[in-house]
Amino acid sequence: MRKYGNGKFKLTPQRIAILDYLDGNRSHPSAEDIYKSVLKRFPTMSFATVYNTLDALRKSGDILELTIDPEKKRFDPDTKLHHHLICIKCKSIVDIHRKFSLNITSKEVGGFEIVGNHIEFYGICPKCRKQS
Amino acid sequence: MRKYGNGKFKLTPQRIAILDYLDGNRSHPSAEDIYKSVLKRFPTMSFATVYNTLDALRKSGDILELTIDPEKKRFDPDTKLHHHLICIKCKSIVDIHRKFSLNITSKEVGGFEIVGNHIEFYGICPKCRKQS
DNA sequence: TTATCATATTAGAATAATTCTTGTCAAGTA
DNA sequence: TACTTGACAAGAATTATTCTAATATGATAA
């Protein structure tokens, strides 16, 4: 498993279970998804622990918090720069690992100091296309 | 004022007040922003009316619901294709009215039918740059 | 190994945004 | 005028998330 937490990140069984679930996970799970999954191994697991752990991981830069879904936050253990393709019907999300050149002029940014970008592609996934 | 609602959208005084507030508004207001503003003219205004009106306008395609802000939804009366530049400190949002060519191959989209895209540029706004 | 200490865990309460419910009201229409 | 439809308002309900306070535990140093 990949290394998480920079330095003072205490590895508890609960956290290991959360990390196990996140590691390599491409489903962009919500806090509830994570909670439900980890609950199987830790019946006493609390939502607070999930949120605390996710917050610690976010602060150490080990996961990203996605604001793509209006209903809830989703989390992504892939912190390499990438973009997302979102199904507007079932809200599934897939990664687009590619760079796009977005040349934006200093005039356009109006004094902002640009630090990053993120592209959301909207579409209808194969499964949902079949159903309609 | 611009025309809102496609057909059967009953123009009531409350709705007109909401539309007045939205019309040409570039601040990407939240439901609360709208509520607070309209409350001045309509002290009996209910949150439900704000949400109902916003929902009707969204369904008729007259406004966009932005999921940029993890705390709350924001609304944008500008439905022309455009992108956003977001200050990571104060969360202010400004529009980028320009097309970017995002050529994405059918292989990359894995069977998705693409219907649109949206670019979020992240940065630090002039005001926040001064403060730090 | 054991004692200590900072930090993690837990349950549940609190909060905040949003949605739902229900009764009332008003505009338009037969 | 009576009817119908949809809008309004108030507040309850819901959902995601954060906070609180008491307890437990992992990491470290003796």
Side-chain angles (χ1 to χ4, degrees):
Chain A
M1 187 172 69
R2 171 184 142 198
K3 221 173 48 189
Y4 286 95
N6 57 2
K8 51 170 191 162
F9 184 78
K10 204 184 276 183
L11 268 185
T12 65
Q14 289 90 337
R15 286 183 168 188
I16 290 169
I18 292 172
L19 293 174
D20 271 353
Y21 179 76
L22 286 175
D23 200 48
N25 188 315
R26 297 268 70 82
S27 73
H28 309 83
S30 65
E32 196 190 1
D33 295 333
I34 297 164
Y35 172 71
K36 276 185 181 163
S37 166
V38 176
L39 203 59
K40 290 171 200 153
R41 262 206 270 168
F42 288 87
T44 67
M45 168 67 62
S46 152
F47 246 116
T49 298
V50 174
Y51 278 109
N52 284 341
T53 303
L54 291 172
D55 205 48
L57 291 170
R58 186 185 52 73
K59 280 179 184 155
S60 62
D62 289 302
I63 61 169
L64 296 176
E65 205 179 273
L66 304 181
T67 58
I68 287 173
D69 188 330
E71 307 307 316
K72 51 188 171 296
K73 290 175 185 165
R74 285 164 171 250
F75 299 88
D76 193 342
D78 185 351
T79 56
K80 288 190 299 294
L81 175 65
H82 66 282
H83 305 289
H84 291 103
L85 173 50
I86 303 137
C87 176
I88 57 176
K89 299 218 168 176
C90 71
K91 312 299 174 195
S92 66
I93 303 173
V94 306
D95 294 327
I96 303 283
H97 273 282
R98 209 241 281 174
K99 260 193 194 151
F100 292 85
S101 63
L102 302 171
N103 298 314
I104 188 164
T105 66
S106 60
K107 189 183 165 197
E108 284 177 307
V109 303
F112 270 65
E113 178 191 343
I114 303 290
V115 300
N117 65 67
H118 175 232
I119 306 173
E120 292 165 4
F121 291 95
Y122 300 105
I124 305 172
C125 75
K127 201 177 281 180
C128 288
R129 283 176 74 182
K130 270 184 198 154
Q131 286 169 8
S132 62
Chain B
M1 187 171 70
R2 170 185 142 198
K3 219 170 50 188
Y4 286 95
N6 57 2
K8 51 170 190 162
F9 183 80
K10 203 184 277 182
L11 267 185
T12 65
Q14 289 91 336
R15 288 184 166 186
I16 290 169
I18 292 173
L19 293 173
D20 270 352
Y21 180 75
L22 286 175
D23 199 49
N25 188 316
R26 297 268 70 80
S27 72
H28 309 82
S30 66
E32 197 191 0
D33 294 333
I34 297 164
Y35 173 70
K36 276 185 182 164
S37 165
V38 176
L39 202 60
K40 290 172 202 155
R41 259 206 271 170
F42 288 86
T44 69
M45 168 68 59
S46 153
F47 247 116
T49 299
V50 173
Y51 278 109
N52 284 342
T53 302
L54 290 173
D55 205 48
L57 290 171
R58 185 185 52 75
K59 280 180 183 152
S60 62
D62 288 303
I63 61 170
L64 297 175
E65 205 178 272
L66 305 182
T67 58
I68 288 173
D69 189 331
E71 306 307 316
K72 50 188 171 297
K73 289 175 185 163
R74 285 163 170 250
F75 299 88
D76 193 342
D78 185 351
T79 57
K80 289 191 296 296
L81 175 66
H82 67 282
H83 307 289
H84 291 104
L85 174 49
I86 303 137
C87 176
I88 58 177
K89 299 220 166 175
C90 71
K91 313 299 174 196
S92 65
I93 303 172
V94 306
D95 295 326
I96 303 282
H97 272 281
R98 208 241 281 175
K99 259 190 193 154
F100 292 85
S101 64
L102 301 170
N103 298 314
I104 189 164
T105 67
S106 61
K107 190 183 166 199
E108 284 176 307
V109 303
F112 269 65
E113 178 191 343
I114 303 289
V115 301
N117 64 66
H118 175 232
I119 307 172
E120 293 165 2
F121 292 94
Y122 299 105
I124 305 172
C125 75
K127 203 178 280 181
C128 289
R129 285 176 74 184
K130 271 184 200 157
Q131 285 168 9
S132 61

